[in-house]
């Protein structure tokens, strides 16, 4: 809290001068000036102490989930418990750090007078994808005569996410035209022993008749029989967030990788495929395949927050995290760098019967011979490879976007 000290001294000096003048001059006029200055001093004291002691500030954001390029409307309300005439208020809303160099902080001048409630709105336009936090609200105020001024910082943190904008893909064709090695059907489980394709971990709600007692007796926990028609299309997306992968590249390249991942996930969600997401920035993020509206928001929450700041090698992350996925899950790898280590790990996964698809995002007009050889090597190992340029007009080759 900051205050203008010289203003208060001037008010006291004014009272002192009028008192001295009344003492030496005498008469009605001089004493009238003195008592008038006393009234003025009382107003200044009350204005100083009541300026923030009775003030409540509230901020409301119209939405906490937006999409890339949309505007957010912020409403700020000021309420007073009592009516008291004040000269002015200046409200400054500092912007989130990511927007500090793009837009100026919003400033609003208000003349409250006797009002008990004041309100104003402002818009933060065309928000890029990301996680944003509005925290402090700086309120300054003063009296009618400019003798006192105070400043107070109100803190009420509010967060909102801007999801990546995705393309509506009409189809997503893999190398053999199928999504994964399993077929999704919606009818009930079968107890036909001949239809058993394997075992999986016991899940709450499984019937006792489906428990594979022989596999459970091995001491690794309860196992449940998995039938052929019980298997579902599943995919896990591995997003490259390694910092080194995007060094020297256009900033939009990472946004293209995120937007591509979001488009594929939206397609999977629309077609009732189970999907998950894996990446490692500062912390490991691993979302197991599932299908629900809550799961969709959970995955997109992470896509809104993710930034190219990972330190661990992406090839090492893929090699380690792929072993955690169940057999039959399609591994979708999105990366701007097809390095030697990654190629060897993907080929090793394919040789073990894993279904892998690689999306190579790039900003080059012509793909280099080295990259072409790497993609051809992966294709020879039955790994579906698709190159995606930073120009979204070429997305039509993926799925008719």
């Amino acid at each position: 809290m900051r205050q203008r000290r010289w203003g208060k001294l001037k008010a006291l000096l004014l009272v002192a001068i009028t008192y001295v003048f009344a003492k030496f001059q005498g008469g009605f006029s001089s004493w009238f000036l003195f008592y008038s200055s006393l009234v003025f001093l009382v107003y200044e004291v009350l204005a100083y102490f009541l300026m923030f002691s009775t003030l409540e500030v509230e901020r409301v954001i119209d939405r906490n989930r937006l999409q890339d390029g949309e505007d957010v409307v912020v409403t700020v309300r000021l309420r007073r418990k009592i009516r008291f005439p004040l000269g002015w208020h200046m409200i400054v809303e500092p912007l989130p750090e990511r927007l500090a160099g793009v837009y100026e902080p919003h400033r609003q001048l208000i003349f409250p007078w006797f009002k008990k409630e004041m309100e104003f709105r402002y818009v933060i336009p065309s928000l890029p994808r990301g996680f944003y936090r509005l925290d402090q609200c700086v309120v300054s105020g003063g009296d009618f005569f400019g003798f006192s001024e105070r400043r107070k910082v109100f803190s009420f943190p509010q967060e909102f996410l801007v999801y990546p904008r995705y393309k509506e893909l009409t189809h997503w064709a893999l190398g053999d035209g199928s999504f994964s090695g399993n077929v999704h059907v919606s009818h009930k489980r079968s107890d036909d022993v001949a239809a058993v394709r394997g075992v999986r971990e016991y899940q709450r709600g499984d019937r006792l008749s489906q428990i594979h007692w022989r596999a459970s007796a091995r001491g690794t926990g309860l196992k449940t029989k998995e039938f052929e028609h019980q298997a579902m299309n599943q995919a896990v997306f591995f997003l490259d967030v390694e910092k080194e992968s995007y060094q020297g590249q256009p900033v939009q390249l990472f946004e293209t990788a995120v937007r591509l991942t979001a488009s594929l996930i939206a397609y999977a969600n629309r077609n009732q495929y189970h999907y998950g997401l894996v990446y490692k920035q500062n912390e490991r993020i691993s979302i197991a395949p599932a299908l629900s509206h809550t799961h969709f928001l959970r995955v997109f929450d992470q896509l809104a927050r993710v930034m190219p700041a990972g330190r661990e090698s992406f090839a090492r992350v893929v090699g380690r995290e792929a072993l955690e996925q169940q057999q039959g899950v399609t591994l979708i790898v999105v990366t701007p760098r097809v390095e030697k280590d990654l190629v060897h790990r993907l080929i090793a996964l394919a040789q073990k019967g894993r279904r892998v698809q690689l999306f190579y995002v790039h900003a080059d007009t012509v793909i280099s011979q080295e990259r072409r050889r790497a993609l051809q090597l992966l294709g020879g190992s039955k790994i579906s490879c698709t190159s995606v340029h930073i120009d979204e007009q070429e997305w039509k080759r993926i799925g008719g976007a």
Side-chain angles (χ1 to χ4, degrees), residues 8 53 67 167-168 194 235 244 261 314 346 379-380:
K8 296 193 295 294
S53 62
Q67 209 168 28
K167 291 284 187 178
E168 294 285 349
E244 188 176 347
T261 305
F314 178 64
L346 295 182

Side-chain angles (χ1 to χ4, degrees), residues 125-401:
S126 304
L127 284 168
R129 179 196 64 85
F131 167 73
Y132 297 94
R133 178 187 177 95
L134 291 175
D135 190 359
Q136 296 182 344
C137 178
V138 183
V139 181
S140 302
D143 64 298
F144 285 107
F145 308 99
F147 282 95
S148 65
E149 179 181 340
R150 298 182 70 185
R151 176 178 177 271
K152 186 175 181 179
V153 178
F154 294 85
S155 181
F156 31 85
Q158 291 174 298
E159 300 174 350
F160 61 95
L161 291 170
V162 180
Y163 289 159
R165 188 174 294 277
Y166 56 86
K167 291 284 187 178
E168 294 285 349
L169 303 180
T170 57
H171 64 276
W172 175 12
L174 297 188
D176 59 355
S178 65
F179 183 80
S180 71
N182 302 323
V183 179
H184 172 77
V185 293
S186 58
H187 54 268
K188 296 181 179 179
R189 303 181 177 92
S190 171
D191 292 326
D192 184 7
V193 177
V196 176
R197 65 180 293 273
V199 294
R200 58 174 172 80
E201 295 293 333
Y202 173 81
Q203 297 179 0
R204 186 175 181 180
D206 291 341
R207 294 183 295 175
L208 291 177
S209 61
Q210 292 182 304
I211 296 178
H212 198 297
W213 297 106
R214 183 175 299 177
S216 302
R218 296 173 185 170
T220 57
L222 288 177
K223 303 293 182 181
T224 303
K225 300 173 187 176
E226 189 174 32
F227 302 98
E228 285 293 342
H229 69 279
Q230 189 180 334
M232 295 171 290
N233 287 323
Q234 296 188 17
V236 174
F237 292 82
F238 290 83
L239 177 60
D240 188 354
V241 299
E242 185 183 355
K243 186 176 182 179
E244 188 176 347
S245 299
Y246 299 91
Q247 286 184 345
Q249 299 288 345
V251 178
Q252 197 61 27
L253 183 62
F254 181 71
E255 296 302 320
T256 301
V258 175
R259 195 173 294 117
L260 172 63
T261 305
S263 300
L264 296 174
I265 287 176
Y267 178 88
N269 183 76
R270 191 168 61 253
N271 288 273
Q272 303 294 303
Y273 301 145
H274 286 219
Y275 52 89
L277 176 67
V278 174
Y279 68 83
K280 185 175 181 183
Q281 193 173 314
N282 296 326
E283 298 179 357
R284 171 181 177 265
I285 301 297
S286 180
I287 302 177
L291 179 64
S292 67
H293 180 67
T294 302
H295 181 73
F296 180 79
L297 294 179
R298 182 186 176 194
V299 171
F300 264 69
D301 281 356
Q302 296 301 326
L303 290 178
R305 297 172 183 269
V306 67
M307 297 297 292
R311 296 183 179 180
E312 186 175 358
S313 168
F314 178 64
R316 192 178 300 114
V317 172
V318 172
R320 181 181 65 250
E321 296 292 340
L323 300 178
E324 302 291 331
Q325 308 303 323
Q326 296 181 0
Q327 194 74 23
V329 174
T330 303
L331 308 178
I332 312 297
V333 180
V334 181
T335 179
R337 188 173 60 158
V338 187
E339 58 172 348
K340 186 177 180 181
D341 190 15
L342 179 62
V343 170
H344 287 287
R345 290 179 185 270
L346 295 182
I347 292 177
L349 289 171
Q351 291 174 348
K352 293 179 182 179
R354 297 287 186 145
R355 187 178 296 273
V356 183
Q357 180 171 3
L358 174 73
F359 283 91
Y360 169 57
V361 293
H362 63 95
D364 303 323
T365 306
V366 179
I367 300 177
S368 64
Q369 290 296 327
E370 181 182 357
R371 303 284 177 159
R372 288 185 179 275
R373 285 194 295 267
L375 295 177
Q376 290 173 358
L377 183 61
L378 291 171
S381 300
K382 298 183 178 180
I383 296 176
S384 176
C385 300
T386 305
S387 63
V388 181
H389 193 265
I390 195 172
D391 183 7
E392 293 185 6
Q393 296 299 324
E394 296 192 10
W395 283 35
K396 293 182 179 180
R397 298 185 297 103
I398 304 173

